[in-house]
Amino acid sequence: MIIFTLLLERNYSIKQSELQATNIANRFSLQQKNMLDDIERLARYIAQQESKHDELLTTCPNYFELFKSLYNNVANIGMIDLQGNVSCATSGQVKNIADSNLKCITFRRL
């Protein structure tokens, strides 16, 4: 009887551990999805705002810093031209993107 009880407890513990791991993975997945949704909203907003300008701004607009302060998972927001020259970055770094090993996402006006 003791062995049977121990086996049942072991199986229950394994199932609980699996359930806990699944819950953690689901929470992490939801957090990642929310971050991607935030980035998409920012990209759409920036595209709408910047489409009103004929030339790329040379300083970061105020809403860059505002967005960065609202979302603590955002480390840097910036703008680059087609040659990779950084025109503004909230981190203060203005290294030419084309000369680095960084990969970046570019958006074009629709």
Side-chain angles (χ1 to χ4, degrees), residues 34 46 50-51 54 64 69 79 102:
N34 289 338
I46 290 171
E50 296 310 309
S51 66
D54 292 334
F64 277 23
S69 69
M79 293 188 298
L102 297 174

XYZ file of all heavy atoms in Angstrom, residues 34 46 50-51 54 64 69 79 102:
72
model
N 2.623 40.838 -25.991
C 2.309 42.217 -25.618
C 3.434 43.167 -26.025
O 3.177 44.286 -26.490
C 2.041 42.323 -24.121
C 0.729 41.690 -23.736
O -0.162 41.520 -24.564
N 0.601 41.310 -22.476
N 4.808 56.126 -35.428
C 5.961 56.838 -35.989
C 5.786 57.015 -37.487
O 6.049 58.090 -38.033
C 7.271 56.095 -35.666
C 7.574 56.204 -34.171
C 8.434 56.657 -36.477
C 8.723 55.331 -33.723
N 5.893 60.622 -39.087
C 7.010 60.973 -39.962
C 6.581 61.152 -41.412
O 7.263 61.821 -42.176
C 8.117 59.920 -39.860
C 8.743 59.839 -38.486
C 9.167 61.190 -37.934
O 9.867 61.934 -38.647
O 8.786 61.513 -36.800
N 5.454 60.570 -41.795
C 4.994 60.753 -43.169
C 4.547 62.192 -43.408
O 4.406 62.614 -44.550
C 3.858 59.779 -43.483
O 2.714 60.085 -42.704
N 8.790 66.194 -44.872
C 9.465 65.958 -46.146
C 10.846 65.348 -45.947
O 11.328 64.594 -46.771
C 9.609 67.271 -46.930
C 8.255 67.790 -47.400
O 7.337 66.959 -47.577
O 8.122 69.002 -47.580
N 9.211 60.004 -28.709
C 10.146 58.883 -28.568
C 10.474 58.669 -27.086
O 10.403 57.561 -26.575
C 11.437 59.142 -29.333
C 11.385 58.815 -30.795
C 10.195 58.771 -31.496
C 12.546 58.552 -31.479
C 10.159 58.476 -32.840
C 12.531 58.252 -32.832
C 11.337 58.213 -33.513
N 9.680 55.991 -21.863
C 9.408 56.058 -20.422
C 8.175 55.246 -20.035
O 8.084 54.743 -18.919
C 9.243 57.509 -19.979
O 8.051 58.060 -20.507
N 16.023 56.732 -35.376
C 15.701 56.804 -36.795
C 17.001 56.777 -37.586
O 17.993 57.388 -37.184
C 14.931 58.086 -37.110
C 13.559 58.126 -36.501
S 12.549 59.515 -37.042
C 13.477 60.917 -36.477
N 24.899 45.153 -36.547
C 23.504 45.146 -36.119
C 22.575 44.880 -37.294
O 22.814 45.317 -38.404
C 23.130 46.499 -35.496
C 23.865 46.897 -34.242
C 23.474 48.309 -33.841
C 23.556 45.940 -33.109
